Amino acid sequence: MSADEVAKAFIPHYYNLFDTNREGLVSLFRETSSLTFEGDGPKTGVAQIMEKLRGCRRRATARRESSSHQPQTIECQPSVSQNAILVFCTGQIMARRAASALGFVARRASPRARRDAPAPAQIEQGKPLKYSEVFQLVASAPGQYYLNNVMFRFNYA
């Protein structure tokens, strides 16, 4: 498969797991993986990354929020080796009812987070919240990839 084909197959798979079975994401990370979300990070290793993702889910589930990612653009480039692909995705998150953005930004999670960042993002029912996300996929076997790096930002403008 070409890098473009890998990226276009990976993105729907990732967001389907994220929206419907977040625990399923654990298989996509390794101990060397890193995640930065809205300036909070990097979280390194499977345990820290999944703790962040589980925490987001607990907050969203506790409020019975339901949302879905809708990728709009997917771009990719070869990365540092033939076994790595850099993927950039933009899209929007839709909520079935008003909610904070997936429970992710209830508060600024770390002192390193931008102090001038906008107030917690809100998803109004039927109105999308735009986002950008970067992934570095690394081949672990022929046709199999894991996430080495993930960076996520809401687009507030």
Side-chain angles (χ1 to χ4, degrees), residues 88-116:
F88 177 68
C89 179
T90 64
Q92 56 190 16
I93 299 171
M94 297 292 292
R96 293 195 183 121
R97 67 181 191 85
S100 67
L102 297 175
F104 283 129
V105 289
R107 61 182 171 80
R108 287 183 189 86
S110 83
R112 293 188 327 183
R114 286 188 12 222
R115 301 243 183 262
D116 62 338

Side-chain angles (χ1 to χ4, degrees), residues 55-149:
C56 298
R57 182 177 175 93
R58 276 195 301 272
R59 287 189 294 276
T61 301
R63 292 189 299 263
R64 290 183 164 71
E65 295 170 8
S66 181
S67 57
S68 65
H69 288 77
Q70 298 176 346
Q72 295 177 317
T73 65
I74 301 170
E75 298 177 25
C76 70
Q77 295 179 352
S79 190
V80 297
S81 75
Q82 292 180 340
N83 294 329
I85 302 169
L86 191 62
V87 181
F88 177 68
C89 179
T90 64
Q92 56 190 16
I93 299 171
M94 297 292 292
R96 293 195 183 121
R97 67 181 191 85
S100 67
L102 297 175
F104 283 129
V105 289
R107 61 182 171 80
R108 287 183 189 86
S110 83
R112 293 188 327 183
R114 286 188 12 222
R115 301 243 183 262
D116 62 338
Q122 295 290 315
I123 302 175
E124 295 179 38
Q125 183 175 0
K127 293 186 180 179
L129 182 61
K130 296 187 180 295
Y131 69 89
S132 300
E133 195 157 17
V134 175
F135 305 91
Q136 184 182 41
L137 302 171
V138 177
S140 57
Q144 296 180 10
Y145 292 83
Y146 71 91
L147 286 166
N148 194 61
N149 302 89

